[in-house]
Amino acid sequence: MLLITDILKKNKKLYGKDIALIEHDPKKKVRKEISWDEFDNLSNNIASFLKEQGLKKNDKVSLLMTNCIEWLPIYFGILKAGCVVSPLNFRFDVEELSYCIDLVEAKAIFFGEEFIERIDEVRKKIDFKFSVFVGEKNNKPSYSYLYNDIIKVKAKNKNFPKLKEDDDAALYFTSGTTGKPKAVLLTNKNLSFSCIVENKHHLQKKEDVFLCIPPLYHTGAKMHWFGSFIVGGTSVLLKGIKAQDIIDVISQEKVSVVWLLVPWIHDILIAIENGEIVLNRYNVSQLRLMHSGAQPIPTVLIEKWKKVFPNMDYDTNYGLTETTGPGCIHLGIQNPHKIGKIGKAGFKWKLKIVDKEFRKLPAGETGELLVKGDGVMKEYYKNAKATQETIIDGWLKTGDIAREDEAGFIALVDRKKDVIITGGENIYPVQIEDFLIKHNKIKDVAVIGVPEKRLGEVACAIIQVKKNHTLNEDEVNDFCTELPRYKRPRKIIFADVPRNPTGKIEKPKLRRMYKDLK
């Protein structure tokens, strides 16, 4: 199995002058690109710089940047130096950043212009060996090296540490939705395996152009990019999530594969429905695949998408940070009749659904989903207890409640921690969300449990109404008469539905906001 650093070398050798990465910034109206030659050379220069600063194999280096064309060469440069790269969620505040950086004992950090103030504060708590500023020279803090300076110095010594499959490679952080973020330790083997799985599932070829929109600090975006990376395909990094910007860049760069989060699919369909985007004015015929994941995907949403884009394949992807991102389960582009399910075990993955005693359940019964494969993390870094509770005989407990049908396809029922217990009856919020999203005036919806004296807790629906539409509680209640009485939301709130950068509904935040709801 080729390490991902070796895949980059291979791409340089085979496709050196071809475009590797394109950055689009709609706000600044800026387009940048680099070839595979430039990509590999930049990573070599960064690795050489890290060695010159005295960093050794297994030293940790943090990375705090929004998506940009510098992101991936820095990531690969850190890996080539034999260091462990630790991407940070750019939404984290000073306390969260300090906690994560301290946990991994980062010796150095690369950071962008947007984070100067936060890094100023973090430095009061964390003693870095050094830092590298990725931005304009005039804005560079006095305590940092300038990225544009270090990449100009050609790698003096490419005798980088010899890397092995089982070496530690990356530390990614969970979103921290149930407490402090946990650091997920991934090996070189995990990363390489993810490249193979993604390409097997989506059949990327050299000619494909992949559009990457989600943040690269998260395994979802980067590991989908891996499928194009392994064949030397061109990829576009879009700094923006507006429907118009997405369609513009698809048309301009002749994008053929795109991964979209649910909110963006909604936005594109609404913009087309409202006439804000007239598809026949754009080059979209080359789009062969749209895939999604990171959360339960409403069936009705994909059915609408397929009507607008009838010739495009679709796939649902399921994964976790702990499985090196997506792919442990996927629907498969050949299974449009099963849209609504997350699919079957991915390439060289195994799965099973178990009860509380860890016994495998037959088809049709509901239990916790477990997965097993070469993408399972090495451990939760410095957290042996959590690791032992999560990985049992190589099986990773996902924390998701699921059900398998007779054909072997898995349906997500809900997150274990999100189940609402009303008067002793289990209610799965995802089922109610899937029903409500079918309403033609509802843009987004989240269902949570809120305290109730008699029943313990009841379902509360937070509903985000489509722009230029009105909706009231009576209309929602009338619509919900098709649901069994015990599943109908007892409380309804009209408000925006908060989602994190990876598209997941921030239910802990909603539960905090509405914990005192009467």
Side-chain angles (χ1 to χ4, degrees):
M1 192 185 296
L2 276 180
L3 304 188
I4 65 170
T5 47
D6 293 327
I7 295 171
L8 179 55
K9 292 176 191 173
K10 179 208 71 172
N11 287 350
K12 176 182 179 175
K13 183 178 179 180
L14 296 178
Y15 317 117
K17 302 304 177 188
D18 293 350
I19 297 172
L21 298 173
I22 299 168
E23 177 195 314
H24 266 269
D25 188 337
K27 283 186 179 178
K28 295 181 179 178
K29 293 183 169 50
V30 171
R31 181 189 184 277
K32 303 175 186 176
E33 65 178 50
I34 58 172
S35 66
W36 288 112
D37 261 341
E38 292 168 312
F39 190 158
D40 188 62
N41 291 339
L42 284 167
S43 65
N44 286 336
N45 295 352
I46 291 160
S48 179
F49 168 79
L50 294 176
K51 281 188 67 179
E52 287 172 13
Q53 299 307 309
L55 293 198
K56 297 179 175 60
K57 192 172 182 179
N58 288 327
D59 281 344
K60 315 301 188 293
V61 180
S62 292
L63 202 170
L64 179 62
M65 294 160 59
T66 55
N67 286 11
C68 58
I69 208 159
E70 295 87 1
W71 208 107
L72 288 164
I74 292 170
Y75 183 90
F76 277 78
I78 294 169
L79 291 176
K80 282 186 177 184
C83 297
V84 177
V85 59
S86 181
L88 296 167
N89 183 335
F90 54 68
R91 300 291 177 90
F92 281 169
D93 60 24
V94 171
E95 291 303 316
E96 290 167 317
L97 290 173
S98 300
Y99 170 80
C100 294
I101 293 166
D102 183 55
L103 177 65
V104 305
E105 299 177 291
K107 296 286 180 67
I109 186 169
F110 287 77
F111 68 99
E113 288 197 30
E114 307 94 325
F115 310 106
I116 294 174
E117 289 184 9
R118 271 181 266 179
I119 293 300
D120 285 346
E121 292 301 311
V122 168
R123 287 181 72 251
K124 296 175 183 178
K125 305 169 183 283
I126 306 293
D127 185 24
F128 296 111
K129 185 179 175 71
F130 63 92
S131 62
V132 179
F133 174 70
V134 186
E136 296 299 323
K137 186 174 183 177
N138 292 342
N139 297 327
K140 184 186 80 68
S142 59
Y143 52 78
S144 289
Y145 288 98
L146 183 67
Y147 173 80
N148 286 336
D149 287 342
I150 71 171
I151 59 171
K152 289 175 185 175
V153 180
K154 189 174 180 180
K156 298 174 183 176
N157 181 0
K158 295 181 185 177
N159 186 27
F160 305 132
K162 185 169 178 56
L163 305 179
K164 299 176 183 176
E165 283 188 356
D166 293 333
D167 284 343
D168 297 346
L171 280 161
Y172 286 83
F173 285 91
T174 61
S175 56
T177 54
T178 56
K180 287 185 176 179
K182 291 194 285 288
V184 173
L185 181 57
L186 303 177
T187 64
N188 281 308
K189 185 177 184 178
N190 290 147
L191 300 181
S192 296
F193 178 67
S194 183
C195 294
I196 295 166
V197 170
E198 173 62 19
N199 190 263
K200 285 286 185 182
H201 289 172
H202 297 136
L203 310 174
Q204 293 95 332
K205 295 182 173 61
K206 175 76 172 70
E207 298 74 29
D208 274 314
V209 177
F210 173 64
L211 176 57
C212 180
I213 309 172
L216 286 167
Y217 72 74
H218 190 264
T219 53
K222 192 180 315 81
M223 282 47 175
H224 280 309
W225 169 71
F226 275 171
S228 295
F229 166 66
I230 198 172
V231 293
T234 299
S235 295
V236 182
L237 303 172
L238 176 62
K239 294 172 75 74
I241 58 172
K242 290 182 180 178
Q244 185 67 62
D245 295 336
I246 294 171
I247 295 296
D248 281 342
V249 80
I250 286 172
S251 181
Q252 291 167 27
E253 300 297 346
K254 296 183 172 58
V255 169
S256 57
V257 179
V258 60
W259 186 63
L260 296 175
L261 293 169
V262 165
W264 309 336
I265 299 172
H266 271 298
D267 292 345
I268 291 170
L269 291 176
I270 290 169
I272 292 169
E273 180 184 311
N274 293 344
E276 296 166 23
I277 292 175
V278 181
L279 273 186
N280 61 17
R281 296 177 183 171
Y282 300 90
N283 297 316
V284 295
S285 60
Q286 76 285 349
L287 260 176
R288 69 168 184 84
L289 172 66
M290 186 277 280
H291 49 123
S292 189
Q295 64 175 105
I297 313 296
T299 305
V300 66
L301 187 66
I302 304 307
E303 289 172 346
K304 287 180 182 177
W305 182 272
K306 293 288 285 182
K307 285 180 182 176
V308 176
F309 299 97
N311 300 318
M312 194 186 309
D313 285 328
Y314 170 76
D315 191 20
T316 296
N317 310 277
Y318 170 88
L320 307 92
T321 306
E322 292 88 338
T323 61
T324 320
C328 58
I329 301 174
H330 86 124
L331 182 68
I333 58 178
Q334 70 277 22
N335 296 310
H337 61 294
K338 287 291 186 178
I339 287 172
K341 307 291 177 68
I342 58 170
K344 294 185 175 184
F347 179 73
K348 290 195 174 180
W349 279 94
K350 296 178 183 179
L351 64 82
K352 62 181 177 180
I353 295 172
V354 300
D355 62 16
K356 292 179 181 177
E357 281 71 47
F358 210 62
R359 293 174 300 205
K360 189 176 187 301
L361 293 170
E365 293 198 24
T366 299
E368 184 171 2
L369 176 63
L370 275 61
V371 296
K372 188 175 189 178
D374 285 343
V376 170
M377 66 176 179
K378 180 176 179 178
E379 64 185 16
Y380 285 121
Y381 189 62
K382 294 184 181 178
N383 196 336
K385 183 175 183 291
T387 303
Q388 290 164 8
E389 291 172 348
T390 305
I391 303 176
I392 300 172
D393 296 328
W395 288 94
L396 180 86
K397 297 170 69 177
T398 67
D400 280 321
I401 305 299
R403 184 187 303 117
E404 185 176 2
D405 68 15
E406 293 299 332
F409 285 83
I410 304 297
L412 277 189
V413 178
D414 220 318
R415 290 293 292 170
K416 208 163 36 171
K417 63 179 179 289
D418 289 339
V419 173
I420 301 166
I421 303 175
T422 298
E425 197 77 56
N426 282 5
I427 297 175
Y428 298 103
V430 167
Q431 295 175 344
I432 306 172
E433 291 163 359
D434 283 349
F435 176 81
L436 284 171
I437 201 69
K438 294 176 185 176
H439 195 291
N440 60 11
K441 292 183 179 180
I442 295 177
K443 178 183 179 182
D444 205 358
V445 60
V447 175
I448 60 170
V450 294
E452 205 272 344
K453 284 184 180 180
R454 180 170 169 270
L455 298 172
E457 60 180 349
V458 294
C460 171
I462 294 91
I463 294 173
Q464 185 171 339
V465 182
K466 287 181 180 178
K467 188 178 179 182
N468 300 324
H469 287 75
T470 58
L471 187 64
N472 61 44
E473 198 168 321
D474 288 339
E475 288 178 89
V476 175
N477 287 329
D478 288 345
F479 185 72
C480 288
T481 54
E482 292 181 35
L483 283 173
R485 185 175 295 276
Y486 78 97
K487 288 187 180 180
R488 297 174 196 170
R490 302 293 183 96
K491 298 182 184 296
I492 296 167
I493 295 167
F494 294 101
D496 286 348
V497 174
R499 290 180 179 268
N500 69 17
T502 60
K504 293 177 183 174
I505 297 170
E506 295 185 293
K507 291 195 175 180
K509 180 178 180 179
L510 288 172
R511 284 192 281 265
R512 289 193 298 271
M513 287 171 64
Y514 299 115
K515 63 183 174 63
D516 298 321
L517 191 66
K518 302 295 184 185

